[in-house]
Amino acid sequence: MDYTNDTQRATKPELLAPAGNMDALMAALGAGADAVYLGLDVLNARSNAGNFTLETLAQACEYAHMHNARIYLTVNVVILPHEMQQALELIEDAWLRGIDAVIIQDLGLIEVLSEALPKIAIHASTQMNIHSSESVRALARYGVKRITLARETSQREIETLVAV
């Protein structure tokens, strides 16, 4: 789904909630979430949580989209060189199952993904600790659509970064 031209969504904040399983996803959407972020059973920082599989991800995307909500896949781990191909294949498979964007921590994965699969919407994770205009501009060059700034970023710093 492409929400880039949806004026209503652009003018109101997005309510984003975590969903570790289908019950949590349904609860989040039932409570009014516009989007949920979730992880798979691999390449996920919360590997001990009740994560989704590629099969259950397809069901989650279908359910969310029926409720006019988005699904963001988290890949919030550092990708080792021998994991890069697996990460690309996983993200492509997830995209084909209906995710709306992928939230990534690893800059190398962002670079490789932006070149290999440029249609996939990339969001920069808060784990990247982005807090400078230089970092924002660098991520923009890779086509990153959204950046979740470092948690300790002040309001004044955010105002400066938004102007970039």
Side-chain angles (χ1 to χ4, degrees):
M1 290 191 154
D2 180 9
Y3 297 104
T4 54
N5 293 324
D6 189 335
T7 327
Q8 181 180 1
R9 286 187 192 272
T11 59
K12 73 171 195 160
E14 177 181 72
L15 179 58
L16 177 63
N21 57 41
M22 195 63 177
D23 288 339
L25 182 142
M26 292 168 61
L29 297 181
D34 301 303
V36 297
Y37 62 92
L38 52 83
L40 295 177
D41 52 354
V42 294
L43 299 178
N44 180 1
R46 293 187 176 111
S47 58
N48 293 331
N51 297 300
F52 288 81
T53 64
L54 283 172
E55 291 72 32
T56 58
L57 176 64
Q59 297 167 349
C61 290
E62 184 177 331
Y63 183 84
H65 294 158
M66 283 185 345
H67 290 83
N68 201 28
R70 291 167 304 287
I71 297 283
Y72 303 144
L73 173 67
T74 59
V75 181
N76 283 343
V77 293
V78 174
I79 304 298
L80 300 173
H82 70 276
E83 296 173 322
M84 189 61 71
Q85 189 59 40
Q86 176 192 9
L88 287 175
E89 290 171 7
L90 179 82
I91 293 167
E92 183 175 29
D93 286 346
W95 182 258
L96 294 173
R97 283 167 173 77
I99 64 166
D100 298 286
V102 60
I103 302 170
I104 298 177
Q105 171 185 358
D106 187 274
L107 181 59
L109 178 58
I110 288 175
E111 179 180 14
V112 171
L113 182 63
S114 69
E115 292 173 9
L117 301 166
K119 291 185 179 183
I120 295 179
I122 300 171
H123 296 178
S125 171
T126 191
Q127 280 89 356
M128 291 190 80
N129 290 314
I130 301 301
H131 51 79
S132 72
S133 57
E134 293 82 9
S135 295
V136 169
R137 282 193 291 276
L139 289 170
R141 286 192 293 273
Y142 291 119
V144 172
K145 302 294 182 200
R146 179 180 295 175
I147 298 169
T148 304
L149 298 172
R151 290 179 178 99
E152 65 276 8
T153 308
S154 70
Q155 182 176 348
R156 177 171 284 162
E157 291 168 321
I158 292 170
E159 291 168 356
T160 301
L161 292 173
V162 168
V164 169

